[in-house]
Amino acid sequence: QVQLVESGGGLVQPGGSLRLSCAASGSIFSFFTMGWYRQALGKQRELVATINSYGGTTYKASVKGRFTISRDNNTMYLQMNSLEPEDTAVYFCNLLFPGGGNYWGQGTQVTVSS
């Protein structure tokens, strides 16, 4: 069993920065992919960025150059710079094992507004 706990969301002005954290605990296997998803009000959940156990990363086109995903042991981070109102959403942490097992955190609200 795996537990994911996000933190770091909040209200920020356009152009500001936030850092999200996701702490994973439980049975973490050697090979996995962790990712950040977000869901804006009335929209579908979308993938923002991923990082695998080798350190390889991927990004949604609209956040590339502004967001940075990283990992330190079993904690994953999302550094978000130059935030835009369109980045407003609930951000979810995800952990996926190749052999099965797909886990989600409870989500943390990010609001970008002046």
Side-chain angles (χ1 to χ4, degrees):
Q1 195 60 275
V2 172
Q3 296 80 40
L4 302 174
V5 178
E6 298 112 331
S7 60
L11 173 64
V12 64
Q13 292 187 341
S17 298
L18 281 175
R19 190 193 196 203
L20 305 183
S21 299
C22 172
S25 60
S27 300
I28 310 297
F29 300 110
S30 299
F31 303 104
F32 55 84
T33 298
M34 295 187 77
W36 289 98
Y37 288 72
R38 67 187 182 188
Q39 186 166 17
L41 194 62
K43 295 188 177 181
Q44 289 190 332
R45 191 173 295 189
E46 62 180 9
L47 178 62
V48 176
T50 66
I51 186 166
N52 62 31
S53 49
Y54 300 101
T57 59
T58 67
Y59 293 93
K60 177 180 172 62
S62 63
V63 308
K64 197 173 292 186
R66 300 189 297 121
F67 291 10
T68 302
I69 190 170
S70 61
R71 183 174 62 84
D72 180 8
N73 292 322
N74 288 342
T75 300
M76 178 178 64
Y77 304 95
L78 187 67
Q79 177 66 44
M80 304 186 294
N81 299 328
S82 302
L83 282 161
E84 304 168 353
E86 292 73 23
D87 297 317
T88 295
V90 178
Y91 283 70
F92 296 90
C93 170
N94 175 259
L95 174 59
L96 179 66
F97 295 116
N102 190 11
Y103 300 91
W104 293 92
Q106 80 286 356
T108 184
Q109 177 71 47
V110 171
T111 302
V112 184
S113 175
S114 55

